[in-house]
Every structure is written in structure tokens, then in C-alpha cells.
Amino acid sequence: MPRLSPPIPTATHSDATPVQRYALPKRKRSLLLSIWPFVALAIVQTVLAISSLHILGAMRAFSSGESQWSKGQKDATYALARYAVSGDPAAYDQFHQGLHIPMSDMRARLMLEDQGYAARPQAALLLLQGHNEPEEINALIWLTVYFKNTESIGQLLARWQDADEPLQELQTLAGDIYASMQLAPPTPVQKQSWLAQINALQIQLSEAERAFNKVLGDTSRAMNKWLWSINIGIALAMLSLLMGHTWRLQRKTARAEDALDLVSERASTTLAAIGEAVITTDAAGHVMYMNRAAEELLGVSLEQLVTSELVQHMHASPSSAGSDKDGASAWVQTAIADALQGREHPRETIFRLCDAQHHVREVKLAFTPIGDDIGTTEAVFVLHDVSQEQRYIRELAWQATHDQLTGLVNRYEFERLLGVLLEQTKHEDTAPGDHAIMYLDLDQFKVINDTAGHIAGDAMLRAMSAMLQRCLRAGDTLARVGGDEFAILLKHCSFDDAKRIAEQIRDAAQNVRIQWGERSLSAGISIGLVKLAAPLTSVEEVLRVADMASYGAKQRGRNNVYAYDPGVDQEIARYVGEMEWVERIKAALEGGHFCLYAQAIEALSTAADEIAGGGLHIEVQIRMRLPDGNIISPVLFIPAAERYGLMPMVDRWVVKQTLQTLAHLQKTAQSPAISCCAINLSGTSLGDERLLDFLQDQIARHGVDPRTLCFEITETAAITHLPNAIRLVKALKALGCRFSMDDFGAGVSSFGSLKNLPVDFLKIDGAIVADMLNEPAHRAMVDAINHLGHALDMKTIAEFASTPEIVESLRGMGIDYAQGYAVGRPQPFSNTIAVPSSNCVH
């Protein structure tokens, strides 16, 4: 019987080229993700349709096979009946031919039921002998093998099996009839019996045929309904899926449209709110959109500008492109054309545009071309108004180079201009002295600030700057370089003309007065004038010399002009030398190149020795050690340190190093012990209100016995800083320290000040002592000071005792102590005390 053919197996080739995997584009992947349910249902529908056709074809093969089987068994029974009656051998052959058809189908079925698909070749040959159509044999075998256990096909095969026994009995009966006829002719009774048996078997086979046909019909109809139900169900599922997918797509599209509307609304709101002007044009430059900022910038509304060319409404300021307005418009046109064509455009270029009200705006232009593979279809222009930023930048640039109070050039800009001028003179054939510089310092300006306040001082500075500007030429540069200091650069000005201008300024300054309440304030001016000539080749050298020249003017009595010509005048070299010493002093403090010396002070009587403590009485002195190892006397660098305010640092270094050494000696009990160590304090240090705290802290920190310390202060410093000096002396004497007034008699002595300063020693100035043997007046002064000191209960010390004769003369006069080369030369502190010391740092 026929069946559906099984799927043809696909041959695999081991040498087949593997399929290359590649990543699908994102858009294609999204498409596949959205349509895959439809593809799956379509595949299922196709497979089901093909399977349905195969099943229906197999059922037709069963029906066709049944007809061949039924015809064969009928032909066999009719032929056997004729053979039983007539004994015709031809009828017997027809019987076997007819019976061979159903018997071949039966044997094929039995082989398939027993061996399964492995018996396919033999079963196919038997089914072909059973007169089945060759194209239906495979379908018949496939259905029998794979669906024999199903209810429908199982019943169909069972009805087919009902014909097996009658067929076998018919075949057996035919053999019996044939054997009987070979032995003897049959009797009528025998023939009648054979015909009855044949008819009975024919009835059984017919009943089996009808049952098979009934089951075949029922199975075909049931399978047809089942296939229809499945196809309709899949169709309904596909329709439902399609409707659901369409609904989801509609919702997604709606959400996308809503989101797009929201984004569009937000973009419109944002563009309307931002400060930058945003303009959209088509490829031809016609305006399509612009926000509120663009309307304000151009001075026209979108309704007025839409569909018109943008370039017609953007007008460059004439100042941005010279006086040629057409050239300015072309500049703007070029920028817009570059944007529309997608060419590079310098983003930092600042355009000066005029709006409809002819207000100048400074803007930066940025653009984004929008297009496809063909070219630009639209362009978005962003115009950032940087007018305020540029105004701030110009203000900051001005503030960086000008003084806020007076509006003059500041020191930084002045030094830059001076440097440019000096560099030019190196490469130009400029005659020496063609340029000059003035450094001006107001006299007594601090008095105005202290007495009238800083506001009055500011008013005086503005008045002075206005006066200076009136006195200068058009090309001169005036700058404020310090609190009350000005500088003037005179280019292409002879030195004689520069002197004349300086004198005019000095005279004009005397007439500058400001009314401050009921007071009339004025200030003089000291001018240092310097000729720009060799060897002044750097800004630092010129300003340093100019400052020194200004200082020289003050030294001459203030309100003066000091004119310095490097080729003639050598006086200022002294000030330059002092400035060099200032740098050396700073380097020595930082690098540890100072060291301590000490000079002995000898008691000239036993009573004086006992008062001094009976041990060594010394004065500590400072020295500077140069890189080559030479030791420099303080006479060379102390004046510069005093002049430029470095003495407080020097004094503190001496105090620290001295106390450190004394602390070491007191702890190690070195002999001979120092009973009195004198340390000099300068006038600047004496005026420092923090000095007392510093000294008390150092004494406590090093644990030095205060009774061994004696601080020397000069007479001039004590008078100048009398309140501070009194406070310092009383506080330290309360600790046990002693004091000595140094250089007494060097100037106009104030004997009354000694009553207010309870010092312990009175040191007679060495200049008086050195000539006392040759000058009776000096000897009388020494004797008078000695009597004065003793009257005030002070011990006297004579300096510069350089010869034994002076020492003996001092002893005879009743002087208590002597200090000088006849007593002892200054020695390194370590040699003086004969113990190792680290106070001299190399």
C-alpha cells in the first residue's frame, strides 16, 4: 500500500567551506527581531502544508493499493473457482497471478512491521510486485513505519491484517485442489465442496475489504479535519500575532511621535531660552528658523527674515574691516559661504556686526552643515555674543598693565617697555644719551598717610600723577611703580633736555597742594635721573641705578634732582656697591657664611674684675666668610645692612649663635668661664617691638644664665627709640641681664637720657680714646665721661686701647675696663674660649 515519502537526507561534506559569520547591521537586526514570529509561523505553515500533502498522498496510496489488492484477490478466487470446476491449468495460473498481488503487499507489510525502515528495499520490491504505483511506494512505507503506532493508522493496519488468514487459507485450498486433481478427476460432490470453501473465503475477504475501506475513509476524513483545524489554528494565530504586532507597532509609533513632539517642544523651548543666536538655513542660505536671541541680535523677527537670504541681514562693522563697507560685507558673505559648503572656518574669529539699530556686537560664529552623500541640505549657525566678554578681556588687559588708582602704566608694563627700548638700542644706530629714565619718590608721603589717612594719600598720588602728565612730552611714558614711586621713560631725549624736564617737574611738585578739611597738604619730590648708556644694558641694572639715584636725591636734602651719567659720575657707584653687599648679606644668612669672633675686655682694677664676675669679659662680633676663605670685617657690610633694613636679621642670627655656644659652655663647665658676654643690638632692632619676646624666648630655650649676658646699644639708637629702649632694658635687667651704652660721646650726647636708661656700662667712643695722649681735649672728654658714669653708678669701658701707654693712662684716670689691640685682638669665638665651637659656619 502507498505511503508518504520520508524527507531526503541532506549529504554533508567534511571539506565544505564553513560559512563566515558576520555581524548584521543594527537596523537589519532590529528588522529581524520584529518579524521573526511571522517568519516562524510561515515556516510552520509551510512545513504543515507539505506534511498535509504527504499524508493525504499516503492515504491515497493506501486507497489505491487497496483497490489493487481487492482486484487481485477477487481475480484469484474467480480463477480458483474455474479451476476447481474445469481443471483448466490456465485458470490455475491466473489464480496465482491474482493471489500474488495481495500476498506481495502482505509480506511487505509484515517485513516493515518486523524490521522497520531497514526492510525498505525488500518491501519496496514486494509492493512494486503488488502493482502499487512506484511513486507512491515510498509514501506507503513511510506512513506504515512511522505512524503504525498511531490510533488511526494502527486501526487501518489491523483491518489489513484481517485479510492475512483468509488469503493464506485460500492459498492452502488452492494447493489441495491442485493435488487432488493430479491424483484423480474430482467428483461433483468434491467440486461442490471446493466451491463452497472458495465462496466462504471470498466472503471473509470481502468483509475485510469493507472494514478496511471503512477505516480508511474514517481515517482520511479525521485526518482531513485535523489538518484543516491545524491550518485554521495557525492561520488564526498568525492573524492574532499580526494584529498584536500591528498594535504594538502603532503604540510604539505613537510613543515615538509623542517623544519626538516632546523633544521638538523641548528643543524649541531650549533654543528660545539660550543666549546664543541660532539660525537655520537651507543650502542656498535662505533662513528657515531662528530663535529669540537671533532676532535680538539681528534686530529683525523670524517673520520678517524667513525665506530671505541670511547674508542680506548680517552687516559687519566698518571698524572690523577698515573703512570699506563692501569689504566688510564680503567678509561676512565668505564666512556664510564657507559654512554652507562645509569648509573649515576658524572658530576663534570674532566678527563685529551691526544690528538693525546699528549697535555694534562682537560675535563668534560656529556652524554645523546638515546633509547627505550628495552634499549640504541645511546649515545651522550659532552666533555667540561675546561683546561683554571682550569688554571684560580688554578691562583685564588694561588692569594688568595699568595702576588702578592713577590710571598710569604699572611697574610690569613699564619694565616691559623699558626692555623693548633697551633691545632696540642694541640694533639701532642711536647716539648714546638719546634716552633717559627718571625715578621719582614723594617726600614725606608717609607723614600724609599717617596724619591725614590713606584716602588723603590717594588724593595726593592722583594730584601728583596729573601734574607729571602735564609736564611730559607726548611720547614719554609715565608709570606708577610703587606706593609713592613713579618712573618716567624719556625716549629720544638728550640728557640736558631730560635735566630741564626733571627741574620743571621738581618745581611743579612744590605747587601741588590738596585741600583736606581745614588742612592744605603738599609733598615734595626727589628725582633720580639716569642716562641710558653703557654699561646699563638690562632692565634690572637700569632700575637699580635709577632707584639709587633717587636715594641720592633724598640724601642731598630731599626735593632734589640727582642726575647720573654713567660715563662721568662715580658717586652712585657707592650705592650700587651697597646693593651688592645687600645681596651678599642675604646669601650669607641663607647659606650660613657668617661666623662669630670675640674680643676681650680687660678689667683695669680688682674691683672692676669682681664686678664683671671674675671670669672672661668679651664682646661678640660678626664676620663674613667669602667663598675663597677670606674673612670680611663688619665695617664693609654693616652700613649696607643698616641702610637697607637687614640688621634685625643679622642681630637675631648673632643672638642665636652666641646663646647656643654659651649654653654648650655652661653645660660642659669649660674653663675659664665667661662671666660677661656682650652682644651688640642695632638701632633698627631696638625699634622692633617684637625684639623683647625674641630675646626672652632664646634665653629660655637655650637655658643660658641671663647674668652672663650684656647687650650693647648705641647712644644714638637709644635716643631715637627711647621708649622701646627703656622697656627692653628694664625687662631684661629684671632677668639678670646687663646693658652697655656703646659709642658714648661720638655725637651730640644727651646726658639726660642716661637717667632714663639704667645701663651698667658706659663705653667711651674709640675715636676719642685713640687720640687722648695727643689731644688734651679728648683726654678731658674721656675723664669727664668717666666721672659722669661713676656719678650715675655705671662702670666705664674705653674702646680702641691700641697701645700699652693708652691702657696705663686709662688705668691712672680710673677707667674700669679697656678694650683694644693692646688688650687683645678679635679671635674666632672657639679660639677665645679654647673649646670646639660650631658658630662659624662655612
PDB file of all heavy atoms in Angstrom, residues 204-228:
ATOM      1  N   GLN A 204     -15.169 -13.756   3.483  1.00  0.00           N
ATOM      2  CA  GLN A 204     -14.284 -13.207   4.533  1.00  0.00           C
ATOM      3  C   GLN A 204     -13.416 -12.074   3.975  1.00  0.00           C
ATOM      4  O   GLN A 204     -13.232 -11.030   4.622  1.00  0.00           O
ATOM      5  CB  GLN A 204     -13.401 -14.317   5.103  1.00  0.00           C
ATOM      6  CG  GLN A 204     -14.146 -15.363   5.902  1.00  0.00           C
ATOM      7  CD  GLN A 204     -13.219 -16.408   6.495  1.00  0.00           C
ATOM      8  OE1 GLN A 204     -12.006 -16.202   6.608  1.00  0.00           O
ATOM      9  NE2 GLN A 204     -13.813 -17.567   6.886  1.00  0.00           N
ATOM     10  N   LEU A 205     -12.869 -12.319   2.797  1.00  0.00           N
ATOM     11  CA  LEU A 205     -12.012 -11.288   2.189  1.00  0.00           C
ATOM     12  C   LEU A 205     -12.813 -10.044   1.862  1.00  0.00           C
ATOM     13  O   LEU A 205     -12.339  -8.908   2.029  1.00  0.00           O
ATOM     14  CB  LEU A 205     -11.330 -11.823   0.947  1.00  0.00           C
ATOM     15  CG  LEU A 205     -10.261 -12.905   1.184  1.00  0.00           C
ATOM     16  CD1 LEU A 205      -9.781 -13.494  -0.142  1.00  0.00           C
ATOM     17  CD2 LEU A 205      -9.089 -12.318   1.962  1.00  0.00           C
ATOM     18  N   SER A 206     -14.040 -10.213   1.431  1.00  0.00           N
ATOM     19  CA  SER A 206     -14.877  -9.038   1.112  1.00  0.00           C
ATOM     20  C   SER A 206     -15.186  -8.243   2.374  1.00  0.00           C
ATOM     21  O   SER A 206     -15.192  -7.008   2.384  1.00  0.00           O
ATOM     22  CB  SER A 206     -16.166  -9.505   0.425  1.00  0.00           C
ATOM     23  OG  SER A 206     -15.876 -10.112  -0.818  1.00  0.00           O
ATOM     24  N   GLU A 207     -15.505  -9.015   3.453  1.00  0.00           N
ATOM     25  CA  GLU A 207     -15.769  -8.314   4.710  1.00  0.00           C
ATOM     26  C   GLU A 207     -14.517  -7.552   5.195  1.00  0.00           C
ATOM     27  O   GLU A 207     -14.609  -6.409   5.676  1.00  0.00           O
ATOM     28  CB  GLU A 207     -16.218  -9.328   5.763  1.00  0.00           C
ATOM     29  CG  GLU A 207     -17.598  -9.904   5.485  1.00  0.00           C
ATOM     30  CD  GLU A 207     -17.997 -10.966   6.514  1.00  0.00           C
ATOM     31  OE1 GLU A 207     -17.094 -11.288   7.361  1.00  0.00           O
ATOM     32  OE2 GLU A 207     -19.141 -11.396   6.505  1.00  0.00           O
ATOM     33  N   ALA A 208     -13.339  -8.184   5.095  1.00  0.00           N
ATOM     34  CA  ALA A 208     -12.090  -7.496   5.473  1.00  0.00           C
ATOM     35  C   ALA A 208     -11.870  -6.258   4.604  1.00  0.00           C
ATOM     36  O   ALA A 208     -11.415  -5.196   5.069  1.00  0.00           O
ATOM     37  CB  ALA A 208     -10.919  -8.468   5.361  1.00  0.00           C
ATOM     38  N   GLU A 209     -12.246  -6.382   3.303  1.00  0.00           N
ATOM     39  CA  GLU A 209     -12.076  -5.249   2.381  1.00  0.00           C
ATOM     40  C   GLU A 209     -12.984  -4.105   2.795  1.00  0.00           C
ATOM     41  O   GLU A 209     -12.593  -2.937   2.818  1.00  0.00           O
ATOM     42  CB  GLU A 209     -12.378  -5.716   0.977  1.00  0.00           C
ATOM     43  CG  GLU A 209     -12.290  -4.594  -0.058  1.00  0.00           C
ATOM     44  CD  GLU A 209     -12.745  -5.064  -1.448  1.00  0.00           C
ATOM     45  OE1 GLU A 209     -12.954  -6.259  -1.645  1.00  0.00           O
ATOM     46  OE2 GLU A 209     -12.840  -4.162  -2.306  1.00  0.00           O
ATOM     47  N   ARG A 210     -14.269  -4.458   3.128  1.00  0.00           N
ATOM     48  CA  ARG A 210     -15.201  -3.398   3.515  1.00  0.00           C
ATOM     49  C   ARG A 210     -14.756  -2.722   4.816  1.00  0.00           C
ATOM     50  O   ARG A 210     -14.840  -1.500   4.961  1.00  0.00           O
ATOM     51  CB  ARG A 210     -16.613  -4.022   3.661  1.00  0.00           C
ATOM     52  CG  ARG A 210     -17.269  -4.318   2.315  1.00  0.00           C
ATOM     53  CD  ARG A 210     -18.756  -4.592   2.521  1.00  0.00           C
ATOM     54  NE  ARG A 210     -18.979  -5.775   3.341  1.00  0.00           N
ATOM     55  CZ  ARG A 210     -19.016  -7.020   2.877  1.00  0.00           C
ATOM     56  NH1 ARG A 210     -18.853  -7.268   1.594  1.00  0.00           N
ATOM     57  NH2 ARG A 210     -19.257  -8.041   3.691  1.00  0.00           N
ATOM     58  N   ALA A 211     -14.280  -3.554   5.786  1.00  0.00           N
ATOM     59  CA  ALA A 211     -13.815  -2.959   7.048  1.00  0.00           C
ATOM     60  C   ALA A 211     -12.603  -2.042   6.818  1.00  0.00           C
ATOM     61  O   ALA A 211     -12.491  -0.959   7.408  1.00  0.00           O
ATOM     62  CB  ALA A 211     -13.462  -4.082   8.036  1.00  0.00           C
ATOM     63  N   PHE A 212     -11.701  -2.488   5.948  1.00  0.00           N
ATOM     64  CA  PHE A 212     -10.514  -1.659   5.644  1.00  0.00           C
ATOM     65  C   PHE A 212     -10.918  -0.349   5.000  1.00  0.00           C
ATOM     66  O   PHE A 212     -10.426   0.723   5.350  1.00  0.00           O
ATOM     67  CB  PHE A 212      -9.576  -2.478   4.742  1.00  0.00           C
ATOM     68  CG  PHE A 212      -8.321  -1.747   4.394  1.00  0.00           C
ATOM     69  CD1 PHE A 212      -7.233  -1.725   5.251  1.00  0.00           C
ATOM     70  CD2 PHE A 212      -8.222  -1.059   3.181  1.00  0.00           C
ATOM     71  CE1 PHE A 212      -6.080  -1.062   4.906  1.00  0.00           C
ATOM     72  CE2 PHE A 212      -7.072  -0.387   2.844  1.00  0.00           C
ATOM     73  CZ  PHE A 212      -5.998  -0.383   3.713  1.00  0.00           C
ATOM     74  N   ASN A 213     -11.876  -0.470   4.041  1.00  0.00           N
ATOM     75  CA  ASN A 213     -12.312   0.748   3.339  1.00  0.00           C
ATOM     76  C   ASN A 213     -12.999   1.711   4.312  1.00  0.00           C
ATOM     77  O   ASN A 213     -12.842   2.935   4.219  1.00  0.00           O
ATOM     78  CB  ASN A 213     -13.248   0.385   2.206  1.00  0.00           C
ATOM     79  CG  ASN A 213     -12.496  -0.199   1.007  1.00  0.00           C
ATOM     80  OD1 ASN A 213     -11.322   0.111   0.806  1.00  0.00           O
ATOM     81  ND2 ASN A 213     -13.153  -1.045   0.216  1.00  0.00           N
ATOM     82  N   LYS A 214     -13.792   1.114   5.252  1.00  0.00           N
ATOM     83  CA  LYS A 214     -14.473   1.983   6.208  1.00  0.00           C
ATOM     84  C   LYS A 214     -13.457   2.729   7.089  1.00  0.00           C
ATOM     85  O   LYS A 214     -13.547   3.943   7.302  1.00  0.00           O
ATOM     86  CB  LYS A 214     -15.426   1.157   7.061  1.00  0.00           C
ATOM     87  CG  LYS A 214     -16.226   1.995   8.074  1.00  0.00           C
ATOM     88  CD  LYS A 214     -17.170   1.111   8.873  1.00  0.00           C
ATOM     89  CE  LYS A 214     -17.997   1.977   9.836  1.00  0.00           C
ATOM     90  NZ  LYS A 214     -17.188   2.783  10.703  1.00  0.00           N
ATOM     91  N   VAL A 215     -12.477   1.957   7.638  1.00  0.00           N
ATOM     92  CA  VAL A 215     -11.452   2.603   8.483  1.00  0.00           C
ATOM     93  C   VAL A 215     -10.640   3.598   7.677  1.00  0.00           C
ATOM     94  O   VAL A 215     -10.307   4.697   8.163  1.00  0.00           O
ATOM     95  CB  VAL A 215     -10.545   1.525   9.109  1.00  0.00           C
ATOM     96  CG1 VAL A 215      -9.371   2.185   9.837  1.00  0.00           C
ATOM     97  CG2 VAL A 215     -11.335   0.654  10.053  1.00  0.00           C
ATOM     98  N   LEU A 216     -10.332   3.230   6.410  1.00  0.00           N
ATOM     99  CA  LEU A 216      -9.573   4.159   5.560  1.00  0.00           C
ATOM    100  C   LEU A 216     -10.337   5.439   5.341  1.00  0.00           C
ATOM    101  O   LEU A 216      -9.790   6.551   5.410  1.00  0.00           O
ATOM    102  CB  LEU A 216      -9.247   3.475   4.234  1.00  0.00           C
ATOM    103  CG  LEU A 216      -8.461   4.304   3.223  1.00  0.00           C
ATOM    104  CD1 LEU A 216      -7.087   4.674   3.794  1.00  0.00           C
ATOM    105  CD2 LEU A 216      -8.289   3.539   1.892  1.00  0.00           C
ATOM    106  N   GLY A 217     -11.652   5.303   5.097  1.00  0.00           N
ATOM    107  CA  GLY A 217     -12.459   6.503   4.891  1.00  0.00           C
ATOM    108  C   GLY A 217     -12.529   7.343   6.157  1.00  0.00           C
ATOM    109  O   GLY A 217     -12.397   8.590   6.122  1.00  0.00           O
ATOM    110  N   ASP A 218     -12.775   6.637   7.317  1.00  0.00           N
ATOM    111  CA  ASP A 218     -12.843   7.392   8.580  1.00  0.00           C
ATOM    112  C   ASP A 218     -11.512   8.089   8.883  1.00  0.00           C
ATOM    113  O   ASP A 218     -11.483   9.248   9.322  1.00  0.00           O
ATOM    114  CB  ASP A 218     -13.214   6.431   9.715  1.00  0.00           C
ATOM    115  CG  ASP A 218     -14.641   5.882   9.555  1.00  0.00           C
ATOM    116  OD1 ASP A 218     -15.412   6.509   8.800  1.00  0.00           O
ATOM    117  OD2 ASP A 218     -14.934   4.849  10.197  1.00  0.00           O
ATOM    118  N   THR A 219     -10.438   7.354   8.669  1.00  0.00           N
ATOM    119  CA  THR A 219      -9.108   7.937   8.944  1.00  0.00           C
ATOM    120  C   THR A 219      -8.828   9.123   8.043  1.00  0.00           C
ATOM    121  O   THR A 219      -8.309  10.159   8.477  1.00  0.00           O
ATOM    122  CB  THR A 219      -8.020   6.870   8.762  1.00  0.00           C
ATOM    123  OG1 THR A 219      -8.282   5.784   9.650  1.00  0.00           O
ATOM    124  CG2 THR A 219      -6.647   7.446   9.030  1.00  0.00           C
ATOM    125  N   SER A 220      -9.196   8.973   6.750  1.00  0.00           N
ATOM    126  CA  SER A 220      -8.957  10.079   5.810  1.00  0.00           C
ATOM    127  C   SER A 220      -9.764  11.304   6.206  1.00  0.00           C
ATOM    128  O   SER A 220      -9.268  12.442   6.195  1.00  0.00           O
ATOM    129  CB  SER A 220      -9.324   9.636   4.386  1.00  0.00           C
ATOM    130  OG  SER A 220      -8.488   8.570   3.963  1.00  0.00           O
ATOM    131  N   ARG A 221     -11.033  11.055   6.570  1.00  0.00           N
ATOM    132  CA  ARG A 221     -11.859  12.200   6.955  1.00  0.00           C
ATOM    133  C   ARG A 221     -11.353  12.838   8.254  1.00  0.00           C
ATOM    134  O   ARG A 221     -11.294  14.076   8.382  1.00  0.00           O
ATOM    135  CB  ARG A 221     -13.316  11.733   7.101  1.00  0.00           C
ATOM    136  CG  ARG A 221     -14.019  11.493   5.756  1.00  0.00           C
ATOM    137  CD  ARG A 221     -15.495  11.252   5.969  1.00  0.00           C
ATOM    138  NE  ARG A 221     -15.732  10.009   6.698  1.00  0.00           N
ATOM    139  CZ  ARG A 221     -15.825   8.812   6.135  1.00  0.00           C
ATOM    140  NH1 ARG A 221     -15.695   8.680   4.818  1.00  0.00           N
ATOM    141  NH2 ARG A 221     -16.076   7.757   6.875  1.00  0.00           N
ATOM    142  N   ALA A 222     -10.986  11.986   9.236  1.00  0.00           N
ATOM    143  CA  ALA A 222     -10.478  12.540  10.503  1.00  0.00           C
ATOM    144  C   ALA A 222      -9.179  13.316  10.294  1.00  0.00           C
ATOM    145  O   ALA A 222      -8.977  14.401  10.866  1.00  0.00           O
ATOM    146  CB  ALA A 222     -10.262  11.396  11.504  1.00  0.00           C
ATOM    147  N   MET A 223      -8.307  12.722   9.462  1.00  0.00           N
ATOM    148  CA  MET A 223      -7.025  13.411   9.211  1.00  0.00           C
ATOM    149  C   MET A 223      -7.252  14.705   8.463  1.00  0.00           C
ATOM    150  O   MET A 223      -6.575  15.715   8.706  1.00  0.00           O
ATOM    151  CB  MET A 223      -6.112  12.461   8.433  1.00  0.00           C
ATOM    152  CG  MET A 223      -4.672  12.947   8.347  1.00  0.00           C
ATOM    153  SD  MET A 223      -3.584  11.652   7.751  1.00  0.00           S
ATOM    154  CE  MET A 223      -3.674  10.491   9.089  1.00  0.00           C
ATOM    155  N   ASN A 224      -8.247  14.676   7.548  1.00  0.00           N
ATOM    156  CA  ASN A 224      -8.555  15.891   6.797  1.00  0.00           C
ATOM    157  C   ASN A 224      -9.057  16.976   7.748  1.00  0.00           C
ATOM    158  O   ASN A 224      -8.653  18.152   7.659  1.00  0.00           O
ATOM    159  CB  ASN A 224      -9.583  15.559   5.727  1.00  0.00           C
ATOM    160  CG  ASN A 224      -9.740  16.701   4.731  1.00  0.00           C
ATOM    161  OD1 ASN A 224      -8.794  17.406   4.440  1.00  0.00           O
ATOM    162  ND2 ASN A 224     -10.943  16.870   4.189  1.00  0.00           N
ATOM    163  N   LYS A 225      -9.945  16.588   8.694  1.00  0.00           N
ATOM    164  CA  LYS A 225     -10.433  17.559   9.675  1.00  0.00           C
ATOM    165  C   LYS A 225      -9.291  18.069  10.568  1.00  0.00           C
ATOM    166  O   LYS A 225      -9.198  19.263  10.885  1.00  0.00           O
ATOM    167  CB  LYS A 225     -11.521  16.911  10.538  1.00  0.00           C
ATOM    168  CG  LYS A 225     -12.814  16.626   9.791  1.00  0.00           C
ATOM    169  CD  LYS A 225     -13.827  15.977  10.716  1.00  0.00           C
ATOM    170  CE  LYS A 225     -15.131  15.680   9.985  1.00  0.00           C
ATOM    171  NZ  LYS A 225     -16.133  15.026  10.879  1.00  0.00           N
ATOM    172  N   TRP A 226      -8.458  17.114  10.976  1.00  0.00           N
ATOM    173  CA  TRP A 226      -7.320  17.507  11.861  1.00  0.00           C
ATOM    174  C   TRP A 226      -6.390  18.492  11.167  1.00  0.00           C
ATOM    175  O   TRP A 226      -5.978  19.498  11.744  1.00  0.00           O
ATOM    176  CB  TRP A 226      -6.573  16.222  12.257  1.00  0.00           C
ATOM    177  CG  TRP A 226      -5.388  16.489  13.154  1.00  0.00           C
ATOM    178  CD1 TRP A 226      -5.399  16.827  14.451  1.00  0.00           C
ATOM    179  CD2 TRP A 226      -4.018  16.403  12.751  1.00  0.00           C
ATOM    180  NE1 TRP A 226      -4.128  16.974  14.931  1.00  0.00           N
ATOM    181  CE2 TRP A 226      -3.239  16.717  13.893  1.00  0.00           C
ATOM    182  CE3 TRP A 226      -3.367  16.077  11.547  1.00  0.00           C
ATOM    183  CZ2 TRP A 226      -1.853  16.728  13.868  1.00  0.00           C
ATOM    184  CZ3 TRP A 226      -1.991  16.086  11.530  1.00  0.00           C
ATOM    185  CH2 TRP A 226      -1.232  16.420  12.683  1.00  0.00           C
ATOM    186  N   LEU A 227      -6.089  18.198   9.900  1.00  0.00           N
ATOM    187  CA  LEU A 227      -5.208  19.104   9.145  1.00  0.00           C
ATOM    188  C   LEU A 227      -5.869  20.457   8.941  1.00  0.00           C
ATOM    189  O   LEU A 227      -5.227  21.505   9.038  1.00  0.00           O
ATOM    190  CB  LEU A 227      -4.829  18.475   7.804  1.00  0.00           C
ATOM    191  CG  LEU A 227      -3.899  17.256   7.877  1.00  0.00           C
ATOM    192  CD1 LEU A 227      -3.689  16.649   6.492  1.00  0.00           C
ATOM    193  CD2 LEU A 227      -2.556  17.637   8.483  1.00  0.00           C
ATOM    194  N   TRP A 228      -7.199  20.414   8.652  1.00  0.00           N
ATOM    195  CA  TRP A 228      -7.907  21.687   8.498  1.00  0.00           C
ATOM    196  C   TRP A 228      -7.889  22.488   9.798  1.00  0.00           C
ATOM    197  O   TRP A 228      -7.679  23.708   9.782  1.00  0.00           O
ATOM    198  CB  TRP A 228      -9.363  21.405   8.079  1.00  0.00           C
ATOM    199  CG  TRP A 228      -9.554  21.397   6.585  1.00  0.00           C
ATOM    200  CD1 TRP A 228      -9.684  20.313   5.772  1.00  0.00           C
ATOM    201  CD2 TRP A 228      -9.645  22.544   5.750  1.00  0.00           C
ATOM    202  NE1 TRP A 228      -9.830  20.686   4.469  1.00  0.00           N
ATOM    203  CE2 TRP A 228      -9.816  22.082   4.428  1.00  0.00           C
ATOM    204  CE3 TRP A 228      -9.592  23.917   5.974  1.00  0.00           C
ATOM    205  CZ2 TRP A 228      -9.924  22.940   3.342  1.00  0.00           C
ATOM    206  CZ3 TRP A 228      -9.716  24.783   4.899  1.00  0.00           C
ATOM    207  CH2 TRP A 228      -9.862  24.303   3.597  1.00  0.00           C
TER     208      TRP A 228
END
